[in-house]
């Protein structure tokens, strides 16, 4: 009775807030001709091996085929003390999955509307770069495909710390007139620090050698660019144009301020900056210095919400018969842009290795059975999302592999996510053969 009342209350609240009541369809693997025993045995084995190898204290996996969720299961606990088990509606820090879940759909929509052009200089829209000789001619296509020669990452945290302590002119333990951006429970950033970040980005070097080099630098800029073009608050724009129509009830920034009933999975025990367990606030330090709202990181969400988003991409911008982004634009963003330069990336999206189908599982990324049309993104905290329009498969993996420290790299070393994905592709292939 209590659960029914809470569910009803949530539905009322979401209806009043304008959220679509879109729910995912669930069915047993056998209903689609898949070998359920094979899937369960393989997935359980890989997940348990990951936990035993300290790849993550807990994780969950959601897989949909033909728009139907045929697998959604949680494993392990939030932390290694084994107190709170992972639940299917837990919220995770999505890290770099933010890039394709936040700014990217907005950029696609603005391109649809003729407000952005991939092949004119980015400085056409971002005025500070017009005065930077090495940046003024870079195009949005080059930038989104990580082909522009920008530096991969700048550690802005170094600018707010000295000898292991926070500089008071940049960070206060409490809000104030000039300290409005909240970075953590009791940490507030000077509003002027954003200008310092911009100056550092403007002066950062650009490589003359145009080759694939992953850079999240402009994703720090994109939210403000979107606000500039749309004259709308970035978070409001995402909610109104994407999250609400898709029925993504939890996908968003700053979950600690939103009083969700969902548990939030902790990320890292931060011994450098926040000096505590990071939970409910963005793990990425750069996004934190933007008050937790950034294009490179900062989004939190459930597996269900990510599945809705990736199914939307898998249908090339269509949801329930409505085209939120044109098919042409999504297909352009989801295709490899510079294969002649050995660059596998799409526009914002990650793609399979260029000769992935020819590689053994241990060397492939992702599964060698994934189609060349498939795309997605991974996140530093241990998240991974993928959509395969050709094989109608959606894959969502969520973990907090950075707990208790980011030095935990077994998730990568054991190739866990690729191995999990391969299970479902093989199950699909076997169902076709049978």
């Amino acid at each position: 009775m209590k659960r029914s009342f809470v569910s009803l209350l949530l539905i009322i609240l979401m209806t009043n807030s304008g959220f679509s009541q879109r729910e995912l369809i669930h069915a047993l693997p056998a209903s689609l001709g898949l070998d359920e025993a094979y899937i369960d045995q393989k997935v359980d084995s890989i997940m348990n091996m990951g936990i035993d190898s300290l790849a993550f204290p807990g994780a969950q996996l959601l897989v949909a085929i033909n728009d139907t969720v045929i697998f959604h299961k949680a494993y392990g606990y939030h932390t290694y003390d084994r107190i709170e088990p992972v639940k299917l509606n837990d919220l995770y820090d999505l890290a770099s999955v933010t890039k394709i879940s936040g700014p990217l759909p907005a950029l696609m929509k603005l391109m649809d509307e003729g407000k952005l052009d991939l092949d004119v200089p980015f400085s056409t829209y971002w005025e500070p770069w017009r005065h930077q000789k090495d940046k003024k001619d870079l195009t949005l296509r080059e930038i989104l495909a990580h082909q522009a020669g920008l530096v991969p990452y700048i550690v802005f945290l170094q600018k707010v710390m000295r000898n292991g302590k926070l500089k008071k002119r940049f960070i206060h333990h409490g809000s104030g007139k000039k300290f409005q951006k909240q970075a953590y429970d009791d940490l507030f950033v000077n509003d002027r620090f954003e200008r310092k970040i911009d100056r550092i980005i403007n002066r950062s070097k650009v490589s003359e050698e145009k080759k694939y080099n992953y850079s999240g630098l402009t994703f720090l800029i994109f939210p403000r660019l979107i606000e500039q073009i749309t004259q709308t608050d970035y978070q409001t724009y995402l909610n109104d144009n994407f999250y609400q129509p898709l029925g993504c009830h939890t996908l968003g920034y700053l979950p600690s301020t939103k009083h969700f009933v969902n548990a939030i999975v902790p990320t890292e025990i931060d011994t450098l900056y926040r000096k505590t367990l990071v939970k409910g606030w963005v793990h990425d330090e750069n996004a934190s210095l933007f008050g937790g709202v950034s294009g490179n990181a900062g989004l939190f969400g459930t597996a269900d919400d990510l599945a809705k988003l990736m199914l939307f991409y898998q249908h090339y911008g269509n949801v329930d018969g409505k085209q939120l982004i044109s098919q042409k634009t999504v297909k352009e963003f989801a295709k490899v842009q510079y294969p002649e330069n050995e660059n596998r990336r799409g526009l914002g999206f990650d793609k399979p290795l260029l000769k992935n189908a020819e590689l053994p599982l241990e060397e492939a990324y992702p599964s060698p059975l994934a189609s060349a049309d498939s795309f997605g993104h991974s996140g530093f905290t241990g998240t991974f999302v993928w959509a395969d329009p050709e094989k109608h498969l959606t894959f969502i993996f969520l973990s907090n592999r950075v707990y208790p420290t980011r030095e935990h790299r077994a998730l990568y070393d054991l190739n866990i996510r690729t191995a999990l994905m391969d299970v479902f592709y093989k199950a699909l292939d076997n169902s076709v053969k049978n």
Side-chain angles (χ1 to χ4, degrees):
M1 182 66 72
K2 184 178 178 182
R3 180 178 293 179
S4 299
F5 174 75
V6 171
S7 299
L8 179 61
L9 180 61
L10 283 173
I11 289 171
I12 292 169
L13 289 172
M14 289 185 294
T15 302
N16 290 340
S17 68
F19 266 98
S20 162
Q21 296 307 305
R22 298 184 67 253
E23 297 303 330
L24 295 167
I25 301 167
H26 292 73
L28 294 174
S31 68
L32 274 70
L34 303 177
D35 186 336
E36 191 168 342
Y38 167 82
I39 290 172
D40 284 341
Q41 187 273 323
K42 290 288 187 182
V43 172
D44 287 357
S45 174
I46 294 168
M47 283 292 210
N48 291 327
M49 177 269 292
I51 292 170
D52 292 343
S53 304
L54 305 184
F56 40 76
Q60 63 177 275
L61 178 65
L62 184 155
V63 176
I65 294 173
N66 295 333
D67 297 357
T68 299
V69 176
I70 55 100
F71 191 97
H72 189 192
K73 192 171 178 180
Y75 296 82
Y77 295 81
H78 283 195
T79 58
Y80 289 108
D81 58 19
R82 299 171 64 86
I83 293 174
E84 185 165 4
V86 175
K87 297 182 291 297
L88 297 181
N89 69 338
D90 283 345
L91 284 165
Y92 285 78
D93 180 333
L94 304 181
S96 280
V97 170
T98 296
K99 293 179 172 70
I100 67 165
S101 310
L104 200 66
L107 294 177
M108 284 192 263
K109 183 172 174 61
L110 293 175
M111 180 181 154
D112 263 354
E113 295 170 350
K115 295 172 182 175
L116 283 176
D117 189 317
L118 290 170
D119 297 309
V120 303
F122 181 63
S123 61
T124 305
Y125 313 105
W126 191 246
E127 191 272 338
W129 282 22
R130 294 174 199 168
H131 315 293
Q132 304 297 324
K133 186 177 179 181
D134 59 355
K135 296 183 181 67
K136 64 184 179 68
D137 295 324
L138 300 178
T139 66
L140 192 56
R141 186 184 299 274
E142 291 173 313
I143 290 166
L144 288 174
H146 304 284
Q147 185 74 23
L150 296 168
V151 298
Y153 194 86
I154 297 173
V155 183
F156 295 109
L157 187 62
Q158 294 175 347
K159 305 299 178 182
V160 304
M161 299 193 76
R162 181 184 290 123
N163 298 325
K165 295 184 178 180
L166 295 167
K167 296 178 182 178
K168 290 184 179 179
R169 73 175 185 273
F170 293 134
I171 306 283
H172 275 191
H173 287 280
S175 61
K177 187 176 180 181
K178 296 179 181 178
F179 291 80
Q180 296 292 315
K181 293 186 175 180
Q182 191 169 6
Y184 202 70
D185 286 333
D186 62 342
L187 296 180
F188 293 80
V189 186
N190 190 315
D191 298 344
R192 295 174 61 188
F193 190 68
E194 187 178 285
R195 279 187 268 173
K196 186 175 182 68
I197 289 175
D198 283 345
R199 286 197 299 272
I200 295 169
I201 291 175
N202 292 343
R203 295 168 186 168
S204 64
K205 293 183 179 180
V206 177
S207 173
E208 293 182 5
E209 187 180 11
K210 299 304 178 189
K211 64 177 184 179
Y212 170 50
N213 191 20
Y214 181 85
S215 172
L217 217 54
T218 50
F219 284 87
L220 300 171
I221 293 171
F222 288 150
R224 288 172 289 153
L225 174 71
I226 291 160
E227 289 183 338
Q228 172 189 302
I229 294 173
T230 64
Q231 294 296 296
T232 305
D233 171 74
Y234 169 64
Q235 294 184 74
T236 301
Y237 186 82
L238 294 181
N239 275 315
D240 291 351
N241 289 283
F242 304 106
Y243 303 159
Q244 289 186 10
L246 290 172
C248 296
H249 311 310
T250 64
L251 193 58
Y253 294 92
L254 306 172
S256 287
T257 68
K258 294 177 179 174
H259 310 294
F260 288 124
V261 296
N262 312 61
I264 303 175
V265 178
T267 49
E268 186 177 27
I269 299 175
D270 183 357
T271 58
L272 177 66
Y273 165 37
R274 287 153 287 206
K275 313 281 189 184
T276 187
L277 173 66
V278 179
K279 178 180 177 179
W281 297 89
V282 62
H283 173 263
D284 179 87
E285 292 88 355
N286 284 353
S288 171
L289 293 171
F290 275 94
V293 181
S294 180
N296 73 311
L299 280 177
F300 285 70
T302 61
D304 272 21
D305 279 356
L306 286 170
K308 291 172 185 177
L309 178 70
M310 296 310 290
L311 283 166
F312 163 66
Y313 283 145
Q314 192 179 126
H315 290 289
Y316 295 119
N318 190 288
V319 55
D320 297 336
K322 185 177 180 182
Q323 205 74 39
L324 302 186
I325 306 170
S326 75
Q327 185 177 114
K328 179 182 178 183
T329 294
V330 181
K331 284 187 174 181
E332 181 62 32
F333 274 64
K335 79 175 187 182
V336 176
Q337 299 293 312
Y338 297 95
E340 69 280 3
N341 286 351
E342 299 297 311
N343 182 345
R344 72 173 189 267
R345 307 296 289 224
L347 296 172
F349 291 115
D350 199 1
K351 297 281 293 177
L353 295 175
L354 292 178
K355 295 182 180 179
N356 201 49
E358 302 170 18
L359 297 174
L361 181 63
E362 309 80 56
E363 299 173 20
Y365 176 85
S367 164
L369 297 173
S371 77
D373 288 337
S374 68
F375 55 92
H377 213 284
S378 62
F380 186 78
T381 51
T383 54
F384 183 85
V385 299
W386 208 262
D388 192 332
E390 182 181 316
K391 299 194 176 181
H392 309 291
L393 186 146
T394 301
F395 182 93
I396 311 293
F397 176 89
L398 298 176
S399 78
N400 54 335
R401 72 99 194 161
V402 292
Y403 183 87
T405 164
R406 66 189 69 188
E407 302 306 316
H408 279 215
R409 297 188 55 83
L411 178 66
Y412 307 128
D413 298 338
L414 298 171
N415 211 15
I416 288 170
R417 296 171 296 189
T418 296
L420 287 168
M421 185 184 283
D422 201 59
V423 170
F424 291 89
Y425 277 112
K426 284 180 176 173
L428 264 178
D429 280 359
N430 288 338
S431 71
V432 172
K433 291 173 186 174
N434 295 334

